Amino acid sequence: MSDDNGGDDQGKFGVGTAVALGVGGIVGGGIYAAIGIVVAAAGILTWFAYSLATVVVCCCAYSYIKLNDATDSNGGSVTYIEELSGRSTVAGVVGWTLVVGYIGTMAMYAYAFGMYGQMMIGVEYVFGLPIRQFLSIGIVAVFVGLNLLGAGSSASVERLLVFVQAGIIAVFGLIGLWYGAANFQLRLGLSQLGFNPILAASVGFVSFEGWQLLFYDQEQFDDPDETLAKGVAISIPIAAVIYILVGFVITTLLPEEVIAAQPEPALLYGALLISKWLALAVGIAGLVSTASAINSTLFSEALFAKNLISDDILPHEMGDPDADAAPKRAVLVIGALTAAFTALGSLEAVVEFASLAFIVVFGSMCALALTVRDSDDIDLNPIPPLVGAIGSAAFFVMLTWYLYSQLPAVFWLVVVIAAAVFAVEAMYFKRQTLSEGVRTVEKRI
């Protein structure tokens, strides 16, 4: 049984830790990294965009929880597809998509870390070179090194950090709400309701991806099925309230021209100078939160990659699947690709690329839940996964159209990355098929 502190007498964690890790995983990176892009797209209706995204995400989370209950082995999306559909190729596509999606997410966190560092230092260039890239690559290198030394993410440390990650920004939102009410500046902006806030919900979809990481290391929880179901069900609404509150405050108190000109969250928060000390606290919290998000995501993705290697979805050259810790080569490859993304890409590019990846994966899980709804192993209400599947499909179409029509450079970058991923994946699986055929022939001979 779990105690009040979230652990049990065997050292495993309970609902309290699951909620803390869920809230920290969602808010820790997204509120400090992706919110500027959502604000730029939705304007005064940012609160509505986050509310709409929350509905779809909750439906997707319901599908994950039910699929997790119906499977014997714990491992997230890839495991669900393999066990419940037997489609190894589809599982491989989802696995590779998630790997690249998490790389994009870490690049987003690293980009934001660099921007907060630049804002705190007050220097934009060093020796004629942009300091943001140095800071972004540097923080990725630090956590790659820590993971190689075996000092990866710690659930107990992450649980403590969530109070810094989410607490400061929640206080920021509440003070902003009080300030706006005292000065009669608060407004909902429903008269501007249209396509843009719906589009913004798809742009900011990546903001909610953190809860999924809990499913990749379920052994650390006491009674994983029940604990994770409660943890996810509680953490998503808490995170959503923080997103909605902060988005509402920013778009209410800042002039429209400032919002349109500042897609970087660090600059948005800096422009809202309710208090210089609060602005300093938000800057420090942004650094801590984005750094922590890089660390926890890198650790979880390395474990996820280890599982994919053992299932022959990723090549064994990426590392030893029997290693006690995360494979070192996998950590190095993931870190190098993350550094390249964050150094070469824009914030919009990495945010929207990652959003597309998670829209595809989350929508696929909702579709899978619908296909197995009549199974004896799953007690499922079909409405949430149906809403999740339709919502994800609509978000995918809207975001793709937006990139093609408004940001063609980002659109073609996403297309090239997707084509490269699928090409490498196809060659790998083709090689695996040929290898299996050769082994079969050798046995017959």
Side-chain angles (χ1 to χ4, degrees), residues 2-210:
S2 299
D3 62 25
D4 293 336
N5 294 322
D8 65 9
D9 54 0
Q10 296 178 347
K12 292 191 176 182
F13 297 105
V15 175
T17 296
V19 171
L21 293 175
V23 173
I26 299 169
V27 175
I31 199 71
Y32 294 102
I35 191 172
I37 304 297
V38 181
V39 167
I44 191 65
L45 287 168
T46 295
W47 66 269
F48 179 84
Y50 276 125
S51 300
L52 181 59
T54 300
V55 172
V56 177
V57 169
C58 284
C59 291
C60 295
Y62 174 85
S63 300
Y64 266 83
I65 291 169
K66 292 300 181 180
L67 292 172
N68 197 57
D69 289 341
T71 52
D72 295 326
S73 58
N74 299 322
S77 312
V78 175
T79 298
Y80 305 153
I81 295 173
E82 285 185 320
E83 282 199 27
L84 298 175
S85 74
R87 299 176 181 271
S88 58
T89 301
V90 175
V93 171
V94 169
W96 282 61
T97 301
L98 275 173
V99 168
V100 178
Y102 282 125
I103 288 171
T105 303
M106 286 188 290
M108 175 183 75
Y109 298 152
Y111 189 107
F113 178 90
M115 287 302 301
Y116 282 106
Q118 177 182 307
M119 181 183 73
M120 298 289 287
I121 295 171
V123 176
E124 190 171 350
Y125 293 92
V126 175
F127 302 116
L129 299 174
I131 195 172
R132 199 281 301 168
Q133 280 89 334
F134 281 115
L135 293 173
S136 297
I137 295 173
I139 194 64
V140 172
V142 166
F143 287 119
V144 166
L146 288 175
N147 276 270
L148 291 177
L149 293 173
S153 181
S154 166
S156 57
V157 172
E158 293 292 331
R159 187 174 64 175
L160 293 174
L161 282 176
V162 72
F163 296 104
V164 176
Q165 298 173 348
I168 290 178
I169 201 64
V171 170
F172 171 87
L174 290 172
I175 292 176
L177 189 66
W178 168 81
Y179 180 88
N183 290 276
F184 304 100
Q185 290 183 250
L186 302 181
R187 61 194 192 282
L188 291 176
L190 290 174
S191 60
Q192 299 182 32
L193 187 61
F195 178 71
N196 282 351
I198 301 174
L199 172 65
S202 67
V203 171
F205 199 82
V206 68
S207 302
F208 287 93
E209 59 80 25

Side-chain angles (χ1 to χ4, degrees), residues 145-375:
L146 288 175
N147 276 270
L148 291 177
L149 293 173
S153 181
S154 166
S156 57
V157 172
E158 293 292 331
R159 187 174 64 175
L160 293 174
L161 282 176
V162 72
F163 296 104
V164 176
Q165 298 173 348
I168 290 178
I169 201 64
V171 170
F172 171 87
L174 290 172
I175 292 176
L177 189 66
W178 168 81
Y179 180 88
N183 290 276
F184 304 100
Q185 290 183 250
L186 302 181
R187 61 194 192 282
L188 291 176
L190 290 174
S191 60
Q192 299 182 32
L193 187 61
F195 178 71
N196 282 351
I198 301 174
L199 172 65
S202 67
V203 171
F205 199 82
V206 68
S207 302
F208 287 93
E209 59 80 25
W211 58 269
Q212 190 197 20
L213 295 172
L214 295 175
F215 290 90
Y216 296 144
D217 193 16
Q218 298 188 37
E219 291 78 10
Q220 67 180 322
F221 295 103
D222 178 39
D223 189 7
D225 288 348
E226 182 178 353
T227 299
L228 290 183
K230 291 179 180 178
V232 169
I234 296 171
S235 62
I236 292 177
I238 292 175
V241 168
I242 295 174
Y243 277 129
I244 293 167
L245 172 64
V246 174
F248 177 66
V249 165
I250 288 176
T251 55
T252 293
L253 300 185
L254 284 179
E256 292 184 5
E257 58 271 18
V258 174
I259 293 173
Q262 302 289 4
E264 284 85 4
L267 300 181
L268 270 179
Y269 291 131
L272 193 57
L273 292 176
I274 299 172
S275 161
K276 66 178 182 179
W277 296 110
L278 185 58
L280 176 63
V282 170
I284 294 172
L287 287 171
V288 173
S289 299
T290 50
S292 176
I294 295 168
N295 182 35
S296 59
T297 306
L298 177 61
F299 180 77
S300 296
E301 179 166 17
L303 292 177
F304 178 55
K306 178 181 174 181
N307 293 332
L308 295 183
I309 294 168
S310 65
D311 290 339
D312 288 329
I313 291 175
L314 285 178
H316 282 253
E317 288 80 1
M318 287 277 287
D320 181 7
D322 298 322
D324 293 334
K328 292 185 177 181
R329 276 172 286 177
V331 172
L332 287 170
V333 171
I334 292 168
L337 291 174
T338 300
F341 262 76
T342 195
L344 302 176
S346 66
L347 182 61
E348 282 187 325
V350 293
V351 167
E352 285 154 4
F353 170 76
S355 284
L356 278 174
F358 289 107
I359 287 170
V360 169
V361 174
F362 286 10
S364 298
M365 294 305 101
C366 291
L368 176 63
L370 284 174
T371 62
V372 300
R373 66 185 182 278
D374 296 327
S375 171

